[in-house]
Amino acid sequence: MAQRTLTRGSQGEDVRRLQLVLKQANYDPGQADGIFGERTENAVTDFQRDHGLEADGKVGPKTWGALTALHPTPGAARGRSLHIGLNFVDDAAYGMTVPPLRGCENDARDMTALAQAQRFESRIMLNGQATASNVIEAIRDVARELESGDFFFLTYSGHGSQMRDATGEEPDQLDETWVLYDRQLLDDELSALWGEFRPGVRIMMLSDSCHSGTVSRDVVFAYKAFAASFQEARDVGFFLDTPIPMLTTRSAPGWDEVEQSLREVMPTVVAQLQGDRAAEEVQAPEVDHYVDLVLTQLEDDTRMMAVSEFSDTGAVVLDQSPITRNLPPEIAHADQVARWREYSEVKKEVRNAKPPQASVLLISGCQDNQLSLDGVKNGLFTQRLLETWSNGRFSGNYRELHRQIVASMPPQQTPNYFWDTNPPSVAFELQRPFTI
């Protein structure tokens, strides 16, 4: 849906996000409390005056557009995209026959068409073209070319997998991977590649694969933030009076109390995790990011609990023979054993990679502990995304795109929304998706 016009007296999440964007643009709206008061109106008016807009204090389409623009010259940003689709891989490289998929090539072609309609310069890699070295070099080519304000759009459709962490750095002892034509590409490798992009570049990634919730990065810090804040939430006891099955959606009774309590403890949690920081130094976007991480995990966990209860009574009827985009466990294990030294060396090579300075946003087909369904024409996640996008008729922002896709998905496959940027870019998030 279209972004509503905000004026003095408006309240809600979109007002709070407006306040965050104003702060990032160095216009002080006061506390990001979701209430459009005098101080927020003054910040809006100052921004409008400085950017040649009518200084009426109202945030309509023109002001929203100016606030969320990341490049100072309209039309000057460049867009590059890369679309990877593997219906099959090299069986010899993996030591046994890997079950083929059906919709991945179509996913890559359809996402290429979407990108080209949005005026990206696009490249597609299918099956044997998508070797690990080719994919890495293609991403590096883009990193060398793009400047601040430019946009890299990356999509992957194929098998996803998890392997035992070769270095012991992952909190769940697992690395998430893309199953490319000749070997698995580790999440650590993708994270290292983001560090090669210049500050200010926008990176949007879609991953329609199994175990893809955080495949864009090393998840250590995010996991620690979740675990610590969740434990503090348990300690203060604000879940005790809220029945867990009632928390399967954020509109359910009890969510406001949960979120408010998390917001109170999160600055302390993040400060402790990062070390040598005071809680008051933690910025609002950081708090938003980790509160959302905890709430999303809680929502997913309780939804799965509810699904399990319904399944026991026969109320949920699932496809009895679904095709999922996961590397079968016996193949994943055999591949890791056969190439243990290779994967260990890869982990060591990227261990000290430069942290990302670009803004990196991932919307994935499922959570790390879930499987993504393949289809006859497209993967289920890609199908729902294309339906939501509706040939460009969708007019919301990235969070709204994600929420609408989630609403159309079965509960056992919950697309993830994940920032590999600290703090996340609120301005990027509020843009219309796939807009250069």
Side-chain angles (χ1 to χ4, degrees), residues 267-286:
T268 300
V269 172
V270 175
Q272 290 175 348
L273 287 169
Q274 293 182 345
D276 299 324
R277 291 184 71 186
E280 55 267 23
E281 295 176 345
V282 177
Q283 300 298 307
E286 297 176 86

Side-chain angles (χ1 to χ4, degrees), residues 145-168:
E145 180 181 359
L146 296 188
E147 304 284 350
S148 178
D150 293 338
F151 196 154
F152 178 41
F153 179 26
L154 173 64
T155 70
Y156 172 78
S157 288
H159 285 299
S161 189
Q162 293 178 314
M163 68 168 63
R164 186 162 62 87
D165 174 23
T167 59

Side-chain angles (χ1 to χ4, degrees), residues 162-434:
Q162 293 178 314
M163 68 168 63
R164 186 162 62 87
D165 174 23
T167 59
E169 296 172 346
E170 298 286 355
D172 60 357
Q173 302 302 308
L174 296 171
D175 284 302
E176 280 68 49
T177 72
W178 283 351
V179 181
L180 297 180
Y181 186 73
D182 58 337
R183 74 166 175 87
Q184 298 184 63
L185 187 76
L186 306 182
D187 51 5
D188 302 74
E189 293 178 90
L190 284 172
S191 182
L193 286 168
W194 307 147
E196 298 184 21
F197 284 80
R198 294 179 177 88
V201 174
R202 294 164 289 160
I203 301 175
M204 171 65 207
M205 182 166 65
L206 302 174
S207 185
D208 194 346
S209 55
C210 292
H211 309 299
S212 55
T214 56
V215 73
S216 66
R217 63 160 292 169
D218 174 5
V219 300
V220 172
F221 184 77
Y223 180 89
K224 285 180 178 177
F226 160 68
S229 54
F230 188 82
Q231 185 58 51
E232 287 212 17
R234 288 286 188 190
D235 290 345
V236 299
F238 64 81
F239 290 141
L240 296 181
D241 298 326
T242 306
I244 288 294
M246 294 298 292
L247 293 177
T248 52
T249 67
R250 295 194 191 185
S251 61
W255 271 110
D256 290 344
E257 291 83 354
V258 170
E259 181 172 355
Q260 181 59 39
S261 297
L262 279 173
R263 290 193 180 282
E264 291 173 2
V265 302
M266 191 59 73
T268 300
V269 172
V270 175
Q272 290 175 348
L273 287 169
Q274 293 182 345
D276 299 324
R277 291 184 71 186
E280 55 267 23
E281 295 176 345
V282 177
Q283 300 298 307
E286 297 176 86
V287 173
D288 294 340
H289 174 60
Y290 291 109
V291 167
D292 186 68
L293 183 72
V294 176
L295 292 178
T296 297
Q297 187 65 55
L298 179 60
E299 187 177 19
D300 294 337
D301 289 347
T302 54
R303 184 189 293 114
M304 292 304 293
M305 290 170 60
V307 169
S308 176
E309 291 178 6
F310 289 142
S311 298
D312 291 342
T313 64
V316 173
V317 179
L318 302 177
D319 186 345
Q320 296 302 306
S321 57
I323 295 177
T324 55
R325 293 181 168 185
N326 64 306
L327 191 64
E330 65 277 10
I331 301 178
H333 176 71
D335 178 61
Q336 182 171 17
V337 169
R339 296 196 267 201
W340 177 259
R341 179 171 296 177
E342 179 182 357
Y343 290 132
S344 298
E345 288 302 316
V346 166
K347 290 272 290 187
K348 291 176 183 177
E349 287 173 8
V350 301
R351 177 181 294 169
N352 297 317
K354 184 170 66 174
Q357 299 297 307
S359 297
V360 186
L361 173 61
L362 165 69
I363 300 180
S364 63
C366 64
Q367 303 294 310
D368 283 342
N369 62 347
Q370 294 179 332
L371 305 180
S372 290
L373 290 169
D374 194 24
V376 175
K377 183 181 184 296
N378 295 106
L380 180 61
F381 167 69
T382 299
Q383 175 188 334
R384 298 301 190 219
L385 183 147
L386 291 170
E387 291 169 355
T388 303
W389 178 244
S390 187
N391 290 321
R393 286 185 286 273
F394 178 83
S395 60
N397 57 40
Y398 284 101
R399 280 199 175 272
E400 290 163 354
L401 178 71
H402 171 254
R403 287 169 180 157
Q404 290 189 30
I405 295 171
V406 169
S408 69
M409 297 289 286
Q412 72 272 20
Q413 184 180 338
T414 306
N416 197 27
Y417 186 96
F418 188 82
W419 278 102
D420 194 4
T421 305
N422 187 22
S425 171
V426 181
F428 183 15
E429 180 175 78
L430 286 173
Q431 292 179 336
R432 181 171 179 268
F434 320 124

